[in-house]
Amino acid sequence: MDKSCMAGKLWGGRFSESTDLELNKLNASLDIDKRMYAEDIQASIVYAKALCKAKLLTEDEARRIKDGLIKVKKEWDSEKFIEVPSDEDIHTANERRLTEIIGNTARKLHTGRSRNDQVATDTRLWLRKGIDNISKLMKDVIQVLLTQAEKDIDVLMPGYTHLQRAQPIRWSHWILSHTWAMKSDLERLLEIRKRVNSMPLGCGALAGNPFPIDRTEMAIELGFESIVRNSMVAVGDRDFIAEFLFWASLTSIHLSKLSEDLIIYSSQEFDFVKLSDAFSTGSSLMPQKRNPDSLELIRGKSGTLYGKCAGFMMTLKGLPSTYNKDLQEDKEALFSAYDTLVNVLNVTQGMLETLTINPEKCRAALTYDMLATDIAYYLVRKGVTFREAHHIVGQVVTLSKDTAIRDIGLSQLQSISKAFEEDIEQVWDFERSVEQYQAAGGTSLTAVQHQIALLRSWLCKETRK
């Protein structure tokens, strides 16, 4: 690196030798953090205004800085910004270009400011906007899930535990189980947003700002709810990124579970659902194949997202206080996780909107042995204790190894327990079975409708915010 390149750096004054070329490649981050150009300019304009109020810039100088930064942003917006080798990061690039536009006045902008509080501010501004976008996508997916739940509310299917047929449920009850998980995910994300939305700007490198900068006023102008109250925390804290990465990992695991269910249900062995052609792919060898690649990719990306979280947590482990260059790794993990999750949510929404179900296949998968628990409940209603009823039904199931459980005669049943009467025939009704679960959270029609109403009310409130 030549001396002119060294001179372009924000920190080069005390060095007599150029930075090693390989170190420069390792150190440079513009290719990643230029994504925050708008946030860097936004915060710089507000900081220039604060410097003016502190009498460190004249009104004319503050105006020239603002106008110059607006020009720089227009260059980025139109993809006409020309990067040069000395542009170490987005902060260096923007200040260098501002200096070219307005001259030496630009060099006053960094008064009392460090890239440490600058990058922390930019990242929080960027992530806040990103969270707002993801929140909208989450609401859109939840809306689709609710629409599907309402549309197919009369469809019955087996509910599974351990991937074994367990009890009859409504298809909508299954859909809503994933909807409630996404509601929790969105609520967690909005909690994280509150912690993201605290401003580090004005904390300098680590000790604070020696000039009469009004940090609270800057926070208000930038839309922050609060300021970070300790300058050392302000520049070194990346907990908000770690939280977001964990949140992305957990959310993707929930989407993976949804995908895994649908992969199973879309197999020819189940045939409960069919993905549209737009969200399926074929085989390069077998012409008949129709693969659920959209679901498999959603499932696979959950591992990638967890990897980003685990990797960044290891970066944080063992770091001393305040800013360390290791923290430069935060944005690659953050941006990658964000992009992946946005893509996954868009695909999830499209896949769900075009998904069709096969009610006949769902119904055909119901078998009378799934009503074994209903027999136990029948006996409980006859005054038998549940533990005894459970044992009795176990004996009934043993009898059904040689004949279908529904075909066991009353005399055989009564040989096991005198509690059985002719009304045992009422048990062999899948609709009746489902409808008995009237308690809140159950799979009866009214209970499912109540779930939908609660979720719609909550979603409506969140959308109005």
Side-chain angles (χ1 to χ4, degrees):
M1 185 187 299
D2 60 27
K3 292 293 182 182
S4 62
C5 185
M6 188 61 135
K9 292 188 175 295
L10 300 181
W11 48 266
R14 62 94 64 222
F15 290 84
S16 57
E17 295 182 26
S18 300
T19 309
D20 178 84
L21 289 175
E22 290 302 314
L23 174 57
N24 193 61
K25 285 195 291 184
L26 189 64
N27 180 55
S29 62
L30 182 60
D31 60 329
I32 294 174
D33 60 31
K34 65 183 177 184
R35 186 164 179 168
M36 303 189 302
Y37 74 84
E39 289 74 24
D40 190 67
I41 289 170
Q42 178 188 8
S44 292
I45 290 173
V46 169
Y47 191 70
K49 184 177 178 181
L51 288 175
C52 181
K53 288 190 175 183
K55 308 300 182 185
L56 296 166
L57 287 176
T58 66
E59 290 188 7
D60 180 64
E61 287 173 329
R63 179 191 55 76
R64 291 177 61 206
I65 287 174
K66 179 181 178 180
D67 292 346
L69 286 170
I70 290 172
K71 289 180 181 178
V72 175
K73 184 178 183 297
K74 287 180 179 178
E75 290 181 6
W76 281 113
D77 288 342
S78 61
E79 299 182 354
K80 293 179 180 179
F81 188 95
I82 299 173
E83 300 171 24
V84 301
S86 63
D87 290 342
E88 189 176 327
D89 50 39
I90 187 59
H91 324 296
T92 312
N94 281 341
E95 185 171 322
R96 184 264 309 164
R97 182 61 184 133
L98 179 64
T99 304
E100 292 173 353
I101 294 172
I102 69 170
N104 243 11
T105 299
R107 299 181 182 277
K108 294 186 176 184
L109 177 59
H110 210 59
T111 303
R113 185 171 70 166
S114 166
R115 285 185 296 176
N116 296 356
D117 65 338
Q118 196 174 352
V119 69
T121 303
D122 295 352
T123 306
R124 286 174 182 263
L125 285 171
W126 186 92
L127 182 53
R128 185 180 70 189
K129 183 170 64 177
I131 286 175
D132 290 344
N133 184 47
I134 288 180
S135 297
K136 181 183 181 304
L137 295 177
M138 294 280 289
K139 291 172 189 174
D140 291 342
V141 172
I142 291 171
Q143 178 64 59
V144 173
L145 288 166
L146 288 173
T147 299
Q148 293 282 36
E150 285 182 319
K151 180 169 67 74
D152 297 311
I153 200 166
D154 293 324
V155 177
L156 304 187
M157 65 175 282
Y160 296 86
T161 63
H162 307 277
L163 267 183
Q164 305 297 312
R165 290 172 181 168
Q167 292 177 290
I169 60 169
R170 291 184 184 276
W171 166 264
S172 298
H173 195 54
W174 169 80
I175 289 177
L176 291 172
S177 71
H178 293 284
T179 312
W180 285 108
M182 290 203 71
K183 174 182 181 288
S184 295
D185 290 331
L186 180 54
E187 288 172 336
R188 272 187 287 269
L189 181 62
L190 296 177
E191 284 295 318
I192 292 170
R193 189 189 190 280
K194 294 177 184 177
R195 288 183 285 279
V196 170
N197 205 25
S198 188
M199 190 192 74
L201 189 60
C203 284
L206 84 158
N209 198 304
F211 304 105
I213 300 295
D214 191 334
R215 294 188 63 219
T216 299
E217 188 171 322
M218 286 196 297
I220 292 171
E221 288 200 49
L222 289 170
F224 285 106
E225 293 179 5
S226 63
I227 61 173
V228 182
R229 291 290 178 177
N230 181 286
S231 60
M232 295 178 75
V233 171
V235 300
D237 173 46
R238 293 298 185 275
D239 288 359
F240 65 98
I241 294 179
E243 274 195 278
F244 177 80
L245 293 175
F246 169 75
W247 175 86
S249 301
L250 183 60
T251 300
S252 70
I253 286 171
H254 293 153
L255 293 172
S256 176
K257 181 187 290 186
L258 169 65
S259 298
E260 174 68 5
D261 281 355
L262 289 174
I263 288 168
I264 293 169
Y265 295 163
S266 67
S267 66
Q268 288 177 295
E269 284 72 19
F270 280 73
D271 199 24
F272 291 176
V273 301
K274 182 179 180 181
L275 270 67
S276 70
D277 286 352
F279 292 93
S280 305
T281 64
S283 166
S284 62
L285 176 66
M286 298 168 284
Q288 86 282 6
K289 289 297 295 298
R290 199 166 184 281
N291 301 326
D293 281 13
S294 59
L295 298 171
E296 291 171 2
L297 287 166
I298 292 169
R299 185 177 62 184
K301 291 297 183 183
S302 65
T304 300
L305 285 166
Y306 176 72
K308 295 295 180 184
C309 178
F312 186 60
M313 292 295 282
M314 289 304 97
T315 297
L316 294 178
K317 180 188 177 297
L319 288 186
S321 296
T322 74
Y323 185 81
N324 298 269
K325 198 70 171 186
D326 314 53
L327 295 177
Q328 188 166 283
E329 295 298 304
D330 62 351
K331 284 169 287 300
E332 189 282 327
L334 173 62
F335 296 157
S336 176
Y338 172 83
D339 290 342
T340 298
L341 196 56
V342 166
N343 189 205
V344 163
L345 287 169
N346 281 322
V347 170
T348 299
Q349 180 182 346
M351 176 273 297
L352 289 170
E353 285 176 334
T354 56
L355 183 76
T356 56
I357 74 167
N358 188 337
E360 292 76 22
K361 288 285 186 178
C362 292
R363 179 63 180 246
L366 296 172
T367 54
Y368 287 111
D369 61 304
M370 296 173 62
L371 299 176
T373 305
D374 296 63
I375 302 174
Y377 292 157
Y378 166 87
L379 292 170
V380 167
R381 293 184 178 101
K382 296 289 184 178
V384 180
T385 67
F386 180 78
R387 284 297 168 211
E388 185 182 355
H390 189 283
H391 181 74
I392 290 170
V393 177
Q395 292 178 288
V396 173
V397 170
T398 299
L399 279 178
S400 71
K401 289 180 179 178
D402 299 321
T403 183
I405 194 169
R406 184 184 180 184
D407 296 333
I408 297 174
L410 179 59
S411 60
Q412 286 180 290
L413 292 174
Q414 288 179 334
S415 70
I416 299 172
S417 173
K418 296 301 182 182
F420 285 109
E421 299 177 356
E422 288 186 3
D423 60 355
I424 185 63
E425 286 295 321
Q426 296 176 8
V427 170
W428 312 119
D429 184 328
F430 294 119
E431 278 80 9
R432 186 175 182 275
S433 173
V434 168
E435 280 305 298
Q436 71 184 309
Y437 298 105
Q438 298 280 336
T443 191
S444 71
L445 179 61
T446 55
V448 168
Q449 288 173 330
H450 185 56
Q451 290 182 62
I452 293 171
L454 288 173
L455 286 164
R456 284 213 177 278
S457 175
W458 165 81
L459 185 61
C460 185
K461 290 178 183 176
E462 288 299 325
T463 303
R464 286 200 301 264
K465 287 181 180 178

